[in-house]
């Protein structure tokens, strides 16, 4: 048992701290070490193993350190892997952090991992007021790309598109979506577009009285980095 503790302690030191000669964040050697460090010791598979081992040995500190490492090392390439890991291991904190990271870096994450997102994860991102996107067109394009890649049906597309802010889209884009196959197949989607037209046509000073979450502006200020 003592040997096992020693192995775990040494293993975690290797994950958490680079050699003293490469501690400077400005050095090229440090950057190289960090990449190698992630590839060798910081993968989702390795940290999953530490969580499982920590639970088996009732070492709460090891589980805590593993969870912290997962959160600190989130990136566009691994965020979906960590979300799947969080599901398997019931790591609520990692799941929340993963969604926060994906929302704060949505435009990068969608290039790497969009098709791998579960429907409920995409919905959680799209419904957030603080989703970090430059324009709402990006959210609609992501939703339609996900639907195509995932082979989604009309019902799934309707549920996802409920969280697109159609009222923030340009008229030309609303028209294109209205003419799309999805809108032709779904009265519910057509209603969303028509509500957006109504919102856009209303005088600015009267829009506040039109209670419609699909016309609410996003914050653009994300608290998690």
């Amino acid at each position: 048992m003592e040997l096992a503790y020693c192995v775990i302690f040494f293993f975690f030191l290797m994950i958490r701290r680079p050699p003293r000669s490469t501690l400077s964040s400005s050095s090229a050697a440090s950057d190289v070490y960090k990449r190698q460090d992630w590839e060798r010791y910081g993968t989702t598979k390795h940290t999953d193993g530490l969580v499982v081992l920590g639970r088996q040995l009732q070492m709460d500190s090891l589980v805590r350190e593993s969870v912290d490492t997962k959160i600190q090392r989130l990136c566009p390439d691994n965020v979906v892997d960590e979300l799947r890991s969080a599901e398997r291991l019931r790591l609520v904190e990692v799941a929340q952090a993963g969604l926060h990271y994906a929302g704060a870096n949505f435009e990068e994450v969608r290039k790497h991992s969009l098709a791998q997102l579960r429907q409920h994860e995409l919905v959680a991102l799209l419904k957030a007021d603080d989703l970090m996107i430059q324009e709402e067109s990006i959210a609609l394009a992501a939703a339609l790309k996900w639907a195509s890649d995932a082979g989604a049906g009309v019902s799934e597309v309707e549920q996802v598109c409920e969280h697109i802010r159609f009222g923030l889209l340009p008229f030309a884009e609303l028209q294109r979506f209205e003419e799309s196959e999805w809108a032709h197949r779904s009265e519910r989607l057509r209603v969303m577009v028509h509500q957006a037209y109504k919102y856009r046509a209303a005088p600015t000073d009267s829009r506040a009285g039109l209670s419609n979450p699909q016309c609410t502006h996003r914050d653009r200020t994300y608290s998690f980095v």
Side-chain angles (χ1 to χ4, degrees):
M1 182 65 72
E2 290 182 1
L3 178 60
Y5 284 134
C6 290
V7 170
I8 294 167
F9 179 73
F10 175 76
F11 184 82
F12 220 88
L13 283 179
M14 292 296 292
I15 293 177
R16 301 288 291 178
R17 184 177 179 84
R20 293 183 182 276
S21 60
T22 61
L23 280 177
S24 173
S25 59
S26 62
S27 70
S30 178
D31 292 338
V32 170
Y33 177 85
K34 288 174 183 176
R35 289 195 296 271
Q36 293 174 342
D37 180 46
W38 166 255
E39 292 168 0
R40 294 172 60 196
Y41 303 112
T43 63
T44 300
K45 181 179 179 180
H46 281 96
T47 51
D48 283 359
L50 288 175
V51 169
V52 172
L53 186 60
R55 286 174 172 172
Q56 290 175 341
L57 298 177
Q58 298 183 341
M59 293 178 61
D60 293 341
S61 60
L62 178 58
V63 175
R64 177 73 264 163
E65 288 283 352
S66 302
V67 167
D68 288 346
T69 298
K70 285 175 169 292
I71 292 172
Q72 291 165 9
R73 295 189 172 184
L74 287 169
C75 66
D77 290 330
N78 75 0
V79 64
V80 173
D81 288 340
E82 291 296 354
L83 287 171
R84 299 289 82 79
S85 165
E87 284 183 348
R88 291 193 303 270
L89 299 177
R90 301 186 303 280
L91 299 173
V92 175
E93 190 175 350
V94 174
Q96 292 174 341
L99 286 176
H100 282 184
Y101 179 90
N105 301 273
F106 186 74
E107 296 194 35
E108 281 299 312
V109 170
R110 76 186 182 100
K111 296 175 186 176
H112 291 79
S113 310
L114 181 64
Q116 301 172 49
L117 289 172
R118 304 264 199 261
Q119 180 181 334
H120 72 273
E121 292 166 346
L122 181 59
V123 165
L125 293 173
L126 294 177
K127 73 190 295 185
D129 287 336
D130 45 13
L131 178 67
M132 289 296 288
I133 51 178
Q134 292 298 316
E135 54 189 14
E136 196 64 24
S137 302
I138 293 171
L140 177 59
L144 297 181
K145 181 67 165 58
W146 173 87
S148 175
D149 292 345
V154 172
S155 175
E156 289 83 5
V157 173
E158 290 173 343
Q159 293 171 33
V160 169
C161 283
E162 278 186 357
H163 306 287
I164 301 296
R165 314 293 170 94
F166 282 102
L168 307 183
L169 294 172
F171 275 115
E173 191 148 2
L174 282 172
Q175 290 174 336
R176 281 197 298 272
F177 183 74
E178 186 179 25
E179 295 168 359
S180 70
E181 180 184 355
W182 290 116
H184 285 162
R185 295 169 60 189
S186 169
E187 180 180 358
R188 188 172 168 187
L189 291 175
R190 293 195 297 273
V191 169
M192 295 179 194
V193 173
H194 293 160
Q195 288 177 335
Y197 281 140
K198 181 179 179 181
Y199 174 83
R200 295 294 301 275
T204 304
D205 57 358
S206 65
R207 288 178 179 177
L210 300 174
S211 178
N212 184 351
Q214 289 188 301
C215 300
T216 304
H217 284 271
R218 297 186 188 273
D219 290 342
R220 303 292 196 279
T221 54
Y222 214 90
S223 59
F224 187 94
V225 178

